[in-house]
Structure formats: structure tokens, C-alpha cells
Amino acid sequence: MTESGATAPPGPPGPGGAQPAGAPAADAEEAAGVAAFWRDLGLPGLVDIHTHFMPPNVLAKVWAFFEGGRAGVGRAWPIAYRRPEEERVALLRAFGVRRFSALLYPHKPDMAAWLNSWAAGFAARTPDALHSATFFPEPGAAGYVAEAIGAGARLFKAHLQVGGYDPRDEMLDAVWGMLAEAQVPVVVHCGSGPYPGAFTGPGPISGVHLDTTMAFTAFMEHLAPFPAALRPRLAHAGDRILLGSDFPNIPYPYLHQLEALAGLDLGAPWLRAVCHDNAVRLLG
């Protein structure tokens, strides 16, 4: 779930489907399928608002959480893209993802500033990644958030489930104010999947865009099917829905998320808006 905002416009396109050297045949086949998806829509590529890049030790713990069965979904959750950072970046570029986020998040105090420092370095060496940052309700949060905004952060992540905090915590008042003033969007995990937390649920959140992370895929439909009666609302909200994949932490191929969206039969204009145009507008 993404709060409204606007930032600098996306720059020039990436390789647009070019395959990284030495990639296995399965990667080449999937990259061709992803590229065919956006080319058939007449798009220059994709914008994925919900991808994760983190310090290697942090990401290893995230992967262990899912693969170790701790997500509580009652079925296996293999990490489909368990690869070194440079391979994951190359694969997104091969897919034709013109811009992607580098979402990361703390689960305790005294962690967010360090994550933001790592994220700034990742953004500097990965020009097609949206410079991402995060925060936690703690003394000093306003200071490091202001520093991240000043350094060019274009997107923040707030994970209410993992962080276990109330977004209305008074230590975040200045943070939300600064982000609103700077018109920097925030991807907020406020939902109760894969399991509820003390502060999950839509109650405190309003004025939002939605991202598609894992929604409508066979994996998620098995766990929590989207009510068919609500599908017309997806059409009506088509200008406020953004492509999000949760790459690399997904248990299925990237292409499956795109196929799941196409399977909603909401039309090519809806898909163009969701997979590219809405994010370009939101980000400036």
C-alpha cells in the first residue's frame, strides 16, 4: 500500500529485455515472456514499486524466515530468486523493468539509519533503482529521515507487521509530516498477510494507492482468495493501483504475477496503467 506523493521523473529506459550474459536458458525464456507481456501492451517496459534489496546478512535472514516455514502459511515458500545481488539486478533489467524499488525495513530500534546508509550506496551503484529508505518509531527518526530525503530518497518502506509498531506513534509525527511535505511516497505493509500483527489492518491508513504484491497469484489465491464480487472495484480504482511483485522473495516465477493480473480480464488500458503509467505519474 503506497501513500500518494511525487518525486523526480524516471530517467532513460534500461536494456528493455536484453538478457544478461551467461544467464541460464530458463532465465532467457522467462525474460522473453516478460518482455512479450509489456511489448504487447505497447509499453516501454515495467515499473515495479515493490522489490527488495537489502544488506546480504539481512536478506539471508528474510529468506530463512520464509523457507523455514515461519510465515505460517501452511505450505512451502521457496525463494524463486535466491541469487547474488548483481544477478538479481541483471535479471530485472533483462525483464525490462525500467525502475524498481529497493525496499528494506527494520524490525527493531537502532537499525533504520544503518539500513538507509546501505540503501544510499545501493542506489548510487544502481541508477535504475529507486533510492529507497525506511524508518522506525524511535528518537532520532526525524533526523535520519530528513537526511535520507536530502540525499535523494524517492520511496520509503514502513513494515507495520515486522516492525510491530503503530503508524500513529507520536515519534513518527514529524516523519509523516516531512514525507508529506516532500511528496515522497511510502510503501506501507499494513495488511494482515501472511499473518496479522498487533497493528496491521487498514484502520489508520487512508488516501492511498495499492500495489499488487502477490495478489491474484495461484499461491495467494490458495491462501486468501480475492472475492470475485469485488473485482469491479479494481476496475474503478485502476488509476490508483501499481505493479508490485515482492521480487526476489516470491515462491513462483516473476511472469506469474503479470499473468495473474492479465487473468483479471480488466483490459489493456488497465494493465498499462497498473504496470507502468500509474507509477510514472506517482513518481513524477
Side-chain angles (χ1 to χ4, degrees):
M1 184 171 288
T2 310
E3 294 206 344
S4 299
T7 58
Q19 183 63 18
D27 286 357
E29 183 178 356
E30 186 180 16
V34 174
F37 172 87
W38 53 259
R39 285 185 177 128
D40 287 347
L41 291 171
L43 291 174
L46 304 171
V47 180
D48 192 335
I49 203 76
H50 201 130
T51 62
H52 293 284
F53 287 89
M54 307 175 184
N57 61 319
V58 177
L59 191 57
K61 291 179 180 178
V62 172
W63 288 346
F65 175 87
F66 288 112
E67 292 189 326
R70 294 165 59 197
V73 297
R75 60 186 305 186
W77 191 315
I79 302 300
Y81 299 98
R82 175 187 274 278
R83 306 181 184 198
E85 177 186 295
E86 63 273 12
E87 291 186 20
R88 286 178 271 123
V89 170
L91 192 54
L92 286 175
R93 290 170 176 165
F95 289 163
V97 182
R98 291 165 53 94
R99 287 291 180 270
F100 50 90
S101 59
L103 302 182
L104 68 182
Y105 45 86
H107 64 276
K108 61 182 180 180
D110 300 318
M111 187 178 177
W114 168 68
L115 289 174
N116 289 350
S117 177
W118 184 90
F122 177 80
R125 64 180 180 270
T126 317
D128 39 352
L130 296 164
H131 183 169
S132 306
T134 189
F135 53 82
F136 195 84
E138 58 188 335
Y144 62 68
V145 167
E147 182 178 350
I149 293 173
R154 301 171 63 183
L155 189 67
F156 277 71
K157 170 69 180 236
H159 205 312
L160 308 185
Q161 182 190 61
V162 170
Y165 61 84
D166 191 327
R168 298 163 295 191
D169 190 300
E170 62 182 13
M171 286 189 287
L172 294 178
D173 287 349
V175 168
W176 292 118
M178 280 188 291
L179 292 168
E181 175 106 4
Q183 294 188 293
V184 175
V186 185
V187 176
V188 183
H189 186 130
C190 62
S192 297
Y195 57 85
F199 300 103
T200 57
I205 308 295
S206 62
V208 300
H209 288 64
L210 302 175
D211 80 59
T212 65
T213 296
M214 299 188 73
F216 319 114
T217 63
F219 187 89
M220 191 54 65
E221 286 292 291
H222 174 79
L223 297 175
F226 188 86
L230 295 182
R231 284 196 181 186
R233 298 180 65 178
L234 296 174
H236 296 149
D239 62 339
R240 300 181 68 81
I241 300 175
L242 310 171
L243 172 65
S245 66
D246 218 17
F247 176 96
N249 303 334
I250 47 179
Y252 44 74
Y254 189 94
L255 181 59
H256 179 53
Q257 177 72 78
L258 304 177
E259 293 171 336
L261 295 176
L264 296 173
D265 293 324
L266 294 175
W270 188 89
L271 286 172
R272 283 194 290 269
V274 169
C275 294
H276 181 271
D277 298 348
N278 292 344
V280 170
R281 186 188 69 252
L282 179 67
L283 295 167

